[in-house]
Amino acid sequence: MLNHYLLCLSIALSLLFLPSNAQTCAKYSFPSNIKYTSCNDLPYLNSFLHWTYDNSTGKLQIAYRHGGLTSSDWVAWAINPTSTGMLGAQALVAYQKLDGTMTAYPAPVDTYQTTLQEGKLSFQVSELSATFANNEIIIYATLVLPGNTTTVNQVWQNGPLSPIGAPARHSVTGDNIQSSGTLNLLSGEETSGGNSKEKKKNIHGVLNTVGWGIMMPLGALIARYLKVFKSADPAWFYLHLGCQTSAYIIGTAGWATGLKLGSESPGVEQTPHRTIGILLFCLGTLQVFALLLRPKPEHKYRFYWNIYHHTVGYLVILLSVINIFKGFDILQPDNKWKNGYIVFIVLLAIKAVFLEAFTWYIVMKKKRSESDGKMTHNATNGASMFGGRHQQVEMG
């Protein structure tokens, strides 16, 4: 009975809040009673697109709204006839000039430049204007698209104005690099282009975190703190080898996805994160080759190999942790993921301190035991030798 009640309550609540999930753009009223036949709430950057499209003539009337702005921001909405990204986009740009008036102009994006230069688009544009009120910029325009156009790749963006009042470079993190998609002008169906790229970024982050950031330090702990126990030999070595090899394979897969993401976003540069990632892969690869050249324990070069292996290994772990946090800053996931990794690192550090102290205790105890054994052995040998001489004297 209670289960039936809870089920009914959940259904009622879902019906109650259903209207809140409807398009908010449909409730918007334009000045001068302007009407559009379709609208979409765009998934990023607090943006909305209203349009009326005549498929027979290719005439597209649009109103692009972008909220949450100040007079120091610029906005742009674009159609990309050739791809789903920014390069090749045919943009409409708007912002408030230093004298308080609004400007709106067409700007083809032929290169990844810091400013959007005015130019002629690949399709006809007319009635282009913009307004700024209530922290919202609205771009109005009429476009004439090629015949039989039903689906377009759209991109929208915002960024700050420079001190001289011109559009400056926009952010290359978070929503600013996800604000693209495919729009069906007839059905209104909108597919965000950021979804697939976001999935790739998440895969990239998970692979690198698991490989370089979790398994690699765990493998180092196994090697440092298990080998002091005779009962763990040679199991500790195979555990260490398996953990580090898996970490390298997973981390390399994450590195490869990062290269793929970089190739798909030529205008987005994450130089420090990328540089550290390449360095990590190189050092990790050197560790793999070093394993193949590992000398035997009694070899005269084993001491120098140990120094190299430990130094490079700890450097890889340090760089891994640094780069993972840089990745968090770029990807900007929910705080729970970053906080969860911080908890893991803290717990790992606490365990390392405890194991370090315990290992030193075991080592010192072992040395004292060996020292006491040698003293007893020497004393016994001395007594036997003395007894032997005494016996010889007596026998003499």
Side-chain angles (χ1 to χ4, degrees), residues 51-121:
W51 75 94
T52 298
Y53 182 55
D54 186 347
N55 189 34
S56 61
T57 62
K59 184 178 180 181
L60 174 65
Q61 295 176 296
I62 66 103
Y64 170 72
R65 297 168 42 222
H66 197 126
L69 303 173
T70 69
S71 59
S72 300
D73 293 312
W74 61 265
V75 302
W77 178 84
I79 288 178
N80 193 328
T82 58
S83 68
T84 58
M86 184 177 182
L87 194 62
Q90 307 295 296
L92 307 175
V93 184
Y95 61 90
Q96 187 178 65
K97 296 193 293 186
L98 297 178
D99 60 7
T101 60
M102 290 297 296
T103 182
Y105 61 89
V109 184
D110 299 323
T111 60
Y112 289 100
Q113 53 193 3
T114 55
T115 58
L116 293 167
Q117 301 292 335
E118 183 173 355
K120 186 177 181 180
L121 302 187

Side-chain angles (χ1 to χ4, degrees), residues 310-327:
H310 295 158
T311 302
V312 174
Y314 289 129
L315 181 59
V316 166
I317 293 173
L318 177 62
L319 291 175
S320 298
V321 174
I322 293 173
N323 216 28
I324 285 169
F325 280 105
K326 285 188 174 295

Side-chain angles (χ1 to χ4, degrees), residues 75-386:
V75 302
W77 178 84
I79 288 178
N80 193 328
T82 58
S83 68
T84 58
M86 184 177 182
L87 194 62
Q90 307 295 296
L92 307 175
V93 184
Y95 61 90
Q96 187 178 65
K97 296 193 293 186
L98 297 178
D99 60 7
T101 60
M102 290 297 296
T103 182
Y105 61 89
V109 184
D110 299 323
T111 60
Y112 289 100
Q113 53 193 3
T114 55
T115 58
L116 293 167
Q117 301 292 335
E118 183 173 355
K120 186 177 181 180
L121 302 187
S122 61
F123 44 76
Q124 182 181 338
V125 181
S126 61
E127 300 176 329
L128 178 58
S129 64
T131 61
F132 177 58
N134 300 320
N135 298 322
E136 181 181 69
I137 290 179
I138 305 178
I139 299 177
Y140 300 94
T142 298
L143 318 177
V144 179
L145 303 180
N148 300 319
T149 299
T150 58
T151 302
V152 294
N153 301 316
Q154 63 172 337
V155 184
W156 61 99
Q157 195 57 260
N158 80 297
L161 295 176
S162 68
I164 62 173
R169 187 178 179 86
H170 64 79
S171 173
V172 291
T173 61
D175 289 353
N176 289 86
I177 55 175
Q178 301 180 51
S179 53
S180 64
T182 302
L183 174 65
N184 189 305
L185 296 172
L186 301 179
S187 67
E189 181 179 357
E190 200 273 336
T191 303
S192 173
N195 291 339
S196 59
K197 186 171 289 187
E198 187 72 11
K199 185 177 180 180
K200 292 179 183 178
K201 289 180 181 179
N202 290 335
I203 293 173
H204 169 71
V206 169
L207 289 174
N208 282 299
T209 301
V210 172
W212 301 112
I214 294 179
M215 297 190 69
M216 191 68 73
L218 284 177
L221 258 64
I222 290 172
R224 180 164 181 81
Y225 300 117
L226 285 186
K227 64 182 179 181
V228 298
F229 302 99
K230 288 185 177 180
S231 60
D233 193 25
W236 72 265
F237 173 74
Y238 295 109
L239 285 173
H240 170 69
L241 178 63
C243 195
Q244 300 303 76
T245 303
S246 300
Y248 176 75
I249 293 172
I250 296 172
T252 299
W255 177 74
T257 59
L259 293 181
K260 178 65 175 175
L261 284 169
S263 66
E264 293 177 351
S265 307
V268 180
E269 298 179 2
Q270 306 292 351
T271 303
H273 183 67
R274 181 173 180 269
T275 302
I276 296 176
I278 294 174
L279 182 59
L280 272 174
F281 173 74
C282 294
L283 292 176
T285 304
L286 285 176
Q287 285 287 73
V288 172
F289 283 108
L291 180 65
L292 301 176
L293 301 175
R294 178 172 173 260
K296 294 182 178 180
E298 63 273 9
H299 197 280
K300 62 180 180 179
Y301 292 125
R302 179 59 180 262
F303 172 76
Y304 303 104
W305 184 90
N306 285 338
I307 293 176
Y308 160 80
H309 184 64
H310 295 158
T311 302
V312 174
Y314 289 129
L315 181 59
V316 166
I317 293 173
L318 177 62
L319 291 175
S320 298
V321 174
I322 293 173
N323 216 28
I324 285 169
F325 280 105
K326 285 188 174 295
F328 281 134
D329 292 338
I330 295 170
L331 191 56
Q332 295 182 350
D334 292 340
N335 289 332
K336 62 181 179 181
W337 300 109
K338 185 175 183 179
N339 294 337
Y341 187 68
I342 292 174
V343 170
F344 168 79
I345 292 297
V346 171
L347 292 177
L348 199 67
I350 293 173
K351 183 169 288 189
V353 171
F354 171 77
L355 290 174
E356 187 73 21
F358 183 71
T359 306
W360 274 106
Y361 168 76
I362 296 295
V363 171
M364 297 304 295
K365 184 178 179 180
K366 184 178 179 181
K367 287 184 177 180
R368 284 197 300 268
S369 177
E370 291 176 352
S371 178
D372 292 343
K374 288 181 180 180
M375 291 178 61
T376 303
H377 180 70
N378 292 336
T380 303
N381 288 342
S384 299
M385 291 173 63
F386 178 77

